[in-house]
Amino acid sequence: MTLRVFLVDDLISMHSLMRDLFAAVGGLELVATASSEGEAKLWLEDHPGDWDVAVLDLVLQHGSGMGVIRPCRAAHPHGQVVIFSSYVTPVIREHCVGLGADHVFGKDQTTQFVTWLHALARRAQEPPG
C-alpha cells in the first residue's frame, strides 16, 4: 500500500524536495500541498480521508502549522501527523504533541525523519495480520 502524503510548507522549493524524498523512500506519494494554514484547512475540509500522513512545517507565511494539527486530527483521526520544521524546541515539541501531533522532528533531525518515514512505509507494505 502506498501512503498518501499531505504536505504543508510555504516554501515551494520544499514541495519538490519532499516529493523527491518520498519517492526515494518508496511507498509514499505526495498527493497534495498547501502553503498556508488557511489553504491547508480548506483542503482538509474538502478531502478529509484522502491522506495517510500529514507533514507540517510550523512557520508559514500565513498562519502556522500548529493551527493545522487539530484540523488534521478532526479530518482523519487515524492519520499520522508529523511536524518537520526548523523551529522545534522542547517546549514547541511538547505543545505540538499536546495538540495531537504524532511526531515532531526538527530539520536538524532529517536523518531521524527519514528513518521514521522508511519505517512507516515499510509497515504499510506488511500484510495485515
Side-chain angles (χ1 to χ4, degrees):
M1 171 181 148
T2 298
L3 295 174
R4 302 162 298 168
V5 181
F6 174 46
L7 174 65
V8 180
D9 196 306
D10 62 336
L11 297 176
I12 302 304
S13 60
M14 280 300 289
H15 294 191
S16 61
L17 286 172
M18 294 298 269
R19 183 183 324 274
D20 292 347
L21 172 63
F22 301 146
V25 167
L28 300 162
E29 177 188 2
L30 185 60
V31 294
T33 61
S35 298
S36 70
E37 180 179 337
E39 185 183 349
K41 288 177 177 179
L42 286 172
W43 189 86
L44 288 166
E45 285 177 22
D46 291 342
H47 304 88
D50 292 350
W51 58 278
D52 303 299
V53 182
V55 177
L56 314 175
D57 191 9
L58 289 176
V59 178
L60 306 172
Q61 191 170 13
H62 300 287
S64 164
M66 281 186 208
V68 181
I69 297 171
R70 284 193 174 137
C72 282
R73 277 282 151 248
H76 193 349
H78 301 293
Q80 289 286 307
V81 180
V82 61
I83 302 297
F84 185 57
S85 178
S86 297
Y87 299 95
V88 173
T89 66
V91 171
I92 296 288
R93 182 182 313 277
E94 183 178 330
H95 185 67
C96 290
V97 169
L99 290 172
D102 294 295
H103 298 281
V104 181
F105 296 98
K107 288 192 177 166
D108 61 336
Q109 298 176 297
T110 299
T111 301
Q112 293 94 323
F113 176 63
V114 172
T115 299
W116 177 79
L117 287 172
H118 273 288
L120 192 66
R122 191 171 38 254
R123 279 193 309 270
Q125 301 301 319
E126 293 174 358

